[in-house]
Amino acid sequence: MLRTTVGCVGVEERDEEQEDEGEEDLRDGGVPFFVNRGGLPVDEETWEQMWRHVARIHPNGEAIGKRIRGASDLPKIPTLSVPTYQPTTSIPQRLEAIQKYIRDLQYNHTGTQFFEIKKSRPLTALMDIAKEMIRESLPIKCLEAVILGIYLSNSMPGVERFPLSFKTQFSGNHFCHIVLGMHSGGRFGALGISRREDLMFKPLEFRTLADLVQEFEGAYRGYWHTLRKVKIGQYVSHDPHSVEQIDWKHSIIDVDKLTKEELRRELERHTRDMRLKIGKAAPPSPTKDRKSSMGSPLRNPGSPMRRNSRIERRPSGEKKVLDPKPPPDMNGYQIRV
């Protein structure tokens, strides 16, 4: 049974404000936890704050902190190697390898999140944090696992990723959790980390998003939790240098206010929205070959930049007479730097 000492009852409005500002709900199993905002290595103030918090939340109180901090023979923790694949490795096998890597980092029970994740940051900044997580090999929480899962699956263009978060209620307290939803080959699954084995990884075997959500709901029921709300984001770009922000909550569904059929319809609608976004994605910058075939909008006969063009530097007798054409439409063109 999940035990709590401090819940979030009566602070629902503050929770929503936090999430609107891009901050993860700062509670771990109903107990407030700290976020290391000073980077690594951890500064002295944050370090001592972490151990004081451990003494408050651990059943053995200060004794556990003194025993660990006073030990001189603690084993050195190895730096984990990121998964590598053969070209023939299937998508399900690759996702299982990523999940194993995330699980091997272990769940962070200290009550202090080591990496600060601001949801409002652009994707490229979050990918830099993922690299730092790999470099440090420290235990992580659920939001950190989502960022790490995005980074490790960027090289799989056939796999679409999206944030999937849950809000549950147990014994009058609310709890928040997030995983990385996956969609590939017409099947849904998830990557993530949790203290509970059945609240993180889900293989690519669910036919619909509703089936995946119902799987998590069933797992929550096993811990006497009632699923209250589901938040689903849009597909995340595979470009690690993208300056786009992750859409964390494109759809917010109040589960307890819907029948099972209504919930299924809402999730099917969101699935269609995600597919439409792929169809409307902005085209990549044209390659060199495409640029030569497409022509450049700067080569407009009315543009002053044509004064230095090669054709106008030719002797007048070699000029090729061109049929007058209307200037191209510049409205839909963007120059990428």
Side-chain angles (χ1 to χ4, degrees), residues 117-129 147 236 239-246 248:
I117 308 292
K118 288 188 176 180
K119 291 182 176 179
S120 58
R121 288 178 177 174
L123 184 60
T124 180
L126 295 176
M127 294 302 93
D128 287 339
I129 297 176
I147 300 303
V236 179
D239 180 7
H241 306 294
S242 172
V243 295
E244 295 179 4
Q245 293 179 344
I246 295 176
W248 295 94

Coordinates of all heavy atoms in Angstrom, one line a residue, residues 117-129 147 236 239-246 248:
I117 N 14.1 19.7 -14.5 CA 13.4 19.6 -15.8 C 12.3 20.7 -15.8 O 11.3 20.5 -15.1 CB 12.8 18.2 -16.0 CG1 13.8 17.1 -15.8 CG2 12.2 18.1 -17.4 CD1 14.9 17.0 -16.8
K118 N 12.5 21.7 -16.6 CA 11.5 22.7 -16.8 C 10.8 22.4 -18.1 O 11.4 22.4 -19.2 CB 12.1 24.1 -16.9 CG 12.6 24.6 -15.5 CD 13.0 26.1 -15.6 CE 13.4 26.6 -14.3 NZ 13.8 28.0 -14.3
K119 N 9.5 22.1 -18.0 CA 8.7 21.7 -19.2 C 8.7 22.8 -20.3 O 8.4 22.5 -21.4 CB 7.3 21.3 -18.8 CG 7.3 20.0 -18.0 CD 5.8 19.7 -17.7 CE 5.7 18.4 -16.9 NZ 4.3 18.0 -16.6
S120 N 8.9 24.0 -19.9 CA 8.8 25.1 -20.9 C 10.1 25.3 -21.7 O 10.1 26.1 -22.7 CB 8.5 26.4 -20.2 OG 9.5 26.7 -19.2
R121 N 11.1 24.5 -21.4 CA 12.3 24.6 -22.2 C 12.2 24.0 -23.6 O 11.4 23.1 -23.8 CB 13.5 23.9 -21.4 CG 14.0 24.7 -20.2 CD 15.1 23.9 -19.5 NE 15.6 24.6 -18.3 CZ 16.5 24.1 -17.5 NH1 16.9 22.9 -17.7 NH2 16.9 24.8 -16.5
P122 N 12.9 24.5 -24.6 CA 12.9 23.9 -25.9 C 13.5 22.5 -25.9 O 14.2 22.2 -25.0 CB 13.7 24.9 -26.8 CG 14.6 25.6 -25.8 CD 13.8 25.7 -24.5
L123 N 13.1 21.8 -26.9 CA 13.5 20.4 -26.9 C 15.0 20.2 -26.9 O 15.6 19.3 -26.2 CB 12.9 19.7 -28.2 CG 13.2 18.2 -28.3 CD1 12.6 17.4 -27.1 CD2 12.6 17.7 -29.6
T124 N 15.7 21.1 -27.6 CA 17.2 21.0 -27.6 C 17.8 21.1 -26.3 O 18.8 20.4 -25.9 CB 17.8 22.0 -28.6 OG1 19.2 21.9 -28.7 CG2 17.4 23.4 -28.2
A125 N 17.3 22.0 -25.4 CA 17.8 22.2 -24.1 C 17.5 20.9 -23.2 O 18.4 20.5 -22.4 CB 17.2 23.4 -23.4
L126 N 16.3 20.3 -23.4 CA 16.0 19.1 -22.6 C 16.9 17.9 -23.0 O 17.3 17.1 -22.2 CB 14.6 18.8 -22.8 CG 13.6 19.8 -22.2 CD1 12.1 19.4 -22.6 CD2 13.7 19.9 -20.7
M127 N 17.3 17.9 -24.3 CA 18.2 16.9 -24.8 C 19.6 17.0 -24.2 O 20.3 16.0 -24.0 CB 18.2 16.9 -26.3 CG 16.9 16.5 -27.0 SD 16.3 14.8 -26.6 CE 15.2 15.2 -25.2
D128 N 20.0 18.2 -23.9 CA 21.3 18.5 -23.3 C 21.2 17.9 -21.8 O 22.2 17.3 -21.3 CB 21.6 19.9 -23.2 CG 22.0 20.5 -24.6 OD1 22.4 19.7 -25.4 OD2 21.9 21.7 -24.8
I129 N 20.1 18.0 -21.2 CA 19.9 17.5 -19.8 C 20.0 15.9 -19.9 O 20.5 15.3 -19.0 CB 18.6 18.0 -19.2 CG1 18.6 19.5 -19.0 CG2 18.4 17.3 -17.9 CD1 17.4 20.1 -18.5
I147 N 12.3 12.4 -20.4 CA 13.3 13.1 -21.2 C 14.3 12.2 -21.8 O 14.7 12.2 -22.9 CB 13.9 14.2 -20.4 CG1 12.8 15.2 -19.9 CG2 15.0 15.0 -21.2 CD1 12.0 15.8 -21.0
V236 N 6.3 14.1 -30.2 CA 7.5 14.8 -30.0 C 8.5 14.7 -31.2 O 8.6 13.6 -31.8 CB 8.3 14.4 -28.7 CG1 9.6 15.2 -28.5 CG2 7.4 14.5 -27.5
D239 N 14.0 15.6 -34.0 CA 15.1 16.5 -34.2 C 15.7 16.9 -32.9 O 15.0 17.7 -32.2 CB 14.7 17.7 -35.1 CG 15.9 18.6 -35.3 OD1 17.0 18.3 -34.9 OD2 15.7 19.7 -35.9
P240 N 16.9 16.4 -32.4 CA 17.4 16.8 -31.1 C 17.8 18.3 -31.0 O 18.0 18.8 -29.9 CB 18.6 15.9 -31.0 CG 19.0 15.6 -32.4 CD 17.8 15.5 -33.2
H241 N 17.8 19.0 -32.2 CA 18.2 20.4 -32.2 C 17.0 21.3 -32.3 O 17.1 22.5 -32.5 CB 19.2 20.7 -33.3 CG 20.4 19.8 -33.2 ND1 21.3 19.8 -32.2 CD2 20.8 18.8 -34.1 CE1 22.3 18.9 -32.4 NE2 22.0 18.3 -33.5
S242 N 15.8 20.7 -32.3 CA 14.6 21.5 -32.4 C 14.4 22.5 -31.3 O 14.7 22.2 -30.1 CB 13.3 20.6 -32.5 OG 12.1 21.3 -32.5
V243 N 13.9 23.7 -31.6 CA 13.7 24.7 -30.6 C 12.2 24.7 -30.2 O 11.8 25.6 -29.5 CB 14.1 26.1 -31.1 CG1 15.6 26.2 -31.3 CG2 13.4 26.5 -32.4
E244 N 11.4 23.7 -30.7 CA 10.0 23.6 -30.3 C 9.9 23.2 -28.8 O 10.8 22.5 -28.3 CB 9.3 22.6 -31.2 CG 9.2 23.0 -32.6 CD 8.5 21.9 -33.4 OE1 8.0 20.9 -32.8 OE2 8.4 22.0 -34.7
Q245 N 8.8 23.6 -28.2 CA 8.5 23.1 -26.9 C 7.7 21.8 -27.0 O 6.9 21.7 -27.9 CB 7.8 24.1 -26.1 CG 8.6 25.4 -25.7 CD 7.8 26.4 -25.0 OE1 6.6 26.3 -24.9 NE2 8.5 27.3 -24.3
I246 N 7.8 20.9 -26.1 CA 7.0 19.7 -26.0 C 5.6 20.1 -25.6 O 5.4 20.9 -24.7 CB 7.6 18.7 -25.0 CG1 9.0 18.2 -25.5 CG2 6.6 17.5 -24.9 CD1 9.7 17.3 -24.5
W248 N 2.9 19.1 -23.7 CA 2.7 18.2 -22.6 C 1.2 17.8 -22.4 O 1.0 16.7 -21.9 CB 3.3 18.7 -21.3 CG 4.7 18.9 -21.4 CD1 5.4 20.1 -21.7 CD2 5.8 18.0 -21.1 NE1 6.8 19.9 -21.6 CE2 7.0 18.6 -21.3 CE3 5.7 16.6 -20.7 CZ2 8.2 17.9 -21.1 CZ3 6.9 16.0 -20.5 CH2 8.2 16.6 -20.7

